[in-house]
Amino acid sequence: MVNRQFTLFLLLILCFFTSCKQQLNNEETALNNKEKYTRTTADYLAMLLSIDTLSIEEKKKVVQQEKDQFTAVANKEENPFYHYISGLEAYQNKAFDEAQQHFTAMQTTAQQAEVTHLKELYILYSALNSNAIADAALMEELLLKTSEAEKANSSITFRFYDALAQAYFKNRNPAKALEYATLHFENHPLNKSVVVQQRYYEISLLLAITSGNEDKIDHLRDEFKRLLAQTQDPLATARYYDLETFYYNIKKDYPQALASSQESFNQLKKLDALTVASFNNLATSFIKNNLVDSALTYYKEGLHWADTRNKGQEKGIIYSGLSNTYKIKGDYKNALIALDSCYKVETANQEKIKADFIAELQTKYETEKKDSEITLLKTNNDLNQKVIKQQWRMFTAFGLLIVFAFLYMQIRYRQRLLKERNQRLETENKKMQVEQRALQLQLNPHFIYNSIANLQGLIVNDQKRQANEYLLAFSTLMRNILEHNRCEFITLKEELTTISNYVKLQQMRYANKFEYTVNCHDILIDNIEIPPMLLQPFVENAIEHGFAHIDYAGKLSMEITQENQHIHICITDNGKGLNTPNQKSQTKKSLSQTITQERLDLHYNTTQKRAYFEVVNKADTTQQTGVVVHIYLPILID
């Protein structure tokens, strides 16, 4: 047996040498891969600034190129900028929950303060775009992180101003949004760029119109048009006319609003950049100018355009406008048909939103599960590398020692098994002895004799009802004792029932010389278990010795309470106490208490659960007579 184990152990050592060599080769390969691509924090901050001047499509290309650079990088999960680039990609695709997970996964150090600010910024951006409004908690976090960036003089503080501007705009506070948009532009390192300026004046014009700030509108319009003349950006020009339409509609100058809406529509049509909203906006302008037939024409063109470009899910707004237009013309049949089509489109859209939401939750779950598995694998891999290195250094010096230690452990293991077996046998033997002695003391034989004599006396005196009650209580007590002797534990309720029958017999024997009360304090005695006949010796001592030869009414009470994880059973009597010259009586009580403690040790204290009792003579601490017994048992639930 030992030779076979030794041979297997040597084979394991050989496998260990081979795996160590392979591990070192893997580490060298990973190190070479890691050296292929290294970028600094300054590089990524420069990229963050540079893409501010690019279009949306150009930004996506840059982010994709940066992510491709990580393909061959070992341990890329440890690089915070891998998660940053992955988060940017998800953010651009409007997968804000996924983006937030990537930004949260960025691991930074105290020396990477700018990276920490970048991480916090984009976590806030993701949270901001995931909700229709910025709630109080998010606003508080935004203001706090902006203040921290300002105090640290961070180079990306201007981006926190942009986030605050977006948050206030979502919360319909255009005045505060304009304030932070201005701070964003003034602190932007590239605020001399025509593209950055154009975007600033476009956003500022929208916020000024929304807030009704007439003092700024004309100036902002002039600046926006001046920059458009420099950039010749047709999309920006279309957006300018959209803002003009919005402005003239607020001023209720509907002819000018229609002219601006037509200019925006024509610009987008040249660029093949029309949307369903473009047709709806122009048709709405025609309606406001009472040109209902023209509005119908563009609504219908919008439906045809949406069908040819597979934009059916966006047709709801067209059908809604079409229904209102038919109602204006008094064509209620077509208005109802259009409204029904609008309802079907919106219903389909809601179902798609629900399906997308479920799919997003599933993706999020899978992503979190994958991240957890990767983290666990990485942790295990790091631990294994450390263990392998340590074993590699120590193996040569301690090889023989391990072999001898292996044999020594086998011997000790066998010895421990034998020792545990002996301990179990000794414990079982002791348990049998204690239980045998406990059975001998469960009931005083004199009590049984006296009970039968009392029963006989009741029968002789023709006290049939009392004899029947006595016999019923006595038989129930005997049956409970016999049944419980076969159990290692019984419920506290069963134990109290047995004690109640025992006390009832004693009360009938002593002609109600004492009264007995129990208070369980709402404790679930049906579920708590204790050893059988544990309380009877203490109750017997109180009756037989405490109430013997007293010339006043005896009182025996039992209080059951819960203290932490223990049940506290307090048995109190007002008998004559422990000061008695009867040596035989004292010896019997001492013996029963010794056996009771042995039973507690056997059932509880071998499993590191503390169980004990204490007997207090009232006369030692007060002017009263009697005895108080405190029993503390761990709670065992059935």
Side-chain angles (χ1 to χ4, degrees), residues 158-170:
F158 71 99
R159 297 306 296 266
F160 283 96
Y161 295 144
D162 177 58
L164 276 170
Q166 291 186 33
Y168 279 115
F169 184 71
K170 277 179 173 286

Side-chain angles (χ1 to χ4, degrees), residues 598-612:
E598 287 180 355
R599 293 184 70 198
L600 293 178
D601 292 339
L602 183 65
H603 287 296
Y604 297 102
N605 297 341
T606 56
T607 59
Q608 298 181 349
K609 294 182 179 179
R610 183 72 174 136
Y612 61 96

Side-chain angles (χ1 to χ4, degrees), residues 280-463:
N280 181 70
N281 291 342
L282 182 55
T284 301
S285 295
F286 277 118
I287 289 175
K288 289 182 177 179
N289 284 276
N290 297 318
L291 301 173
V292 180
D293 291 332
S294 298
L296 280 174
T297 299
Y298 278 98
Y299 276 132
K300 292 176 181 179
E301 285 187 12
L303 291 175
H304 176 71
W305 180 89
D307 289 333
T308 57
R309 287 164 174 77
N310 196 25
K311 301 286 186 180
Q313 72 277 8
E314 300 178 12
K315 288 164 41 176
I317 189 173
I318 296 292
Y319 280 125
S320 177
L322 196 58
S323 176
N324 290 330
T325 305
Y326 277 128
K327 282 196 290 186
I328 293 173
K329 288 177 66 68
D331 188 351
Y332 296 108
K333 178 181 179 181
N334 281 322
L336 181 60
I337 292 172
L339 188 62
D340 182 62
S341 299
C342 175
Y343 173 76
K344 290 178 179 178
V345 170
E346 293 300 327
T347 301
N349 288 342
Q350 288 297 322
E351 292 298 325
K352 185 177 183 303
I353 290 172
K354 291 179 182 178
D356 291 343
F357 178 70
I358 294 173
E360 183 180 352
L361 287 178
Q362 182 66 26
T363 302
K364 183 178 179 182
Y365 168 75
E366 294 295 337
T367 302
E368 290 178 349
K369 182 179 178 182
K370 182 179 177 182
D371 289 342
S372 299
E373 291 175 352
I374 290 173
T375 302
L376 180 60
L377 288 173
K378 184 179 69 173
T379 303
N380 290 338
N381 183 53
D382 292 342
L383 181 60
N384 289 336
Q385 287 180 6
K386 293 178 181 179
V387 171
I388 289 171
K389 288 179 182 179
Q390 184 178 8
Q391 290 175 343
W392 179 259
R393 295 188 186 102
M394 297 176 62
F395 185 76
T396 303
F398 296 98
L400 292 175
L401 181 60
I402 291 174
V403 174
F404 287 115
F406 176 78
L407 297 175
Y408 175 75
M409 291 298 294
Q410 289 289 323
I411 296 172
R412 288 300 302 271
Y413 176 73
R414 291 177 179 274
Q415 290 177 344
R416 185 161 60 88
L417 289 179
L418 290 173
K419 185 177 180 180
E420 288 176 354
R421 182 181 178 186
N422 290 335
Q423 287 177 344
R424 286 197 300 270
L425 292 174
E426 183 180 348
T427 301
E428 290 296 327
N429 185 40
K430 184 177 179 181
K431 180 179 179 181
M432 292 174 64
Q433 293 176 359
V434 171
E435 292 295 337
Q436 183 178 5
R437 294 168 67 190
L439 287 174
Q440 296 171 356
L441 291 176
Q442 281 177 352
L443 275 182
N444 191 331
H446 293 292
F447 165 75
I448 298 176
Y449 174 78
N450 290 334
S451 297
I452 295 174
N454 289 339
L455 178 60
Q456 184 181 14
L458 291 172
I459 295 173
V460 169
N461 294 328
D462 199 27
Q463 295 179 344

Side-chain angles (χ1 to χ4, degrees), residues 176-192:
K176 292 293 289 186
L178 180 58
E179 175 186 337
Y180 280 101
T182 303
L183 283 173
H184 167 251
F185 173 70
E186 290 174 349
N187 290 274
H188 200 300
L190 300 179
N191 59 11
K192 300 300 181 184

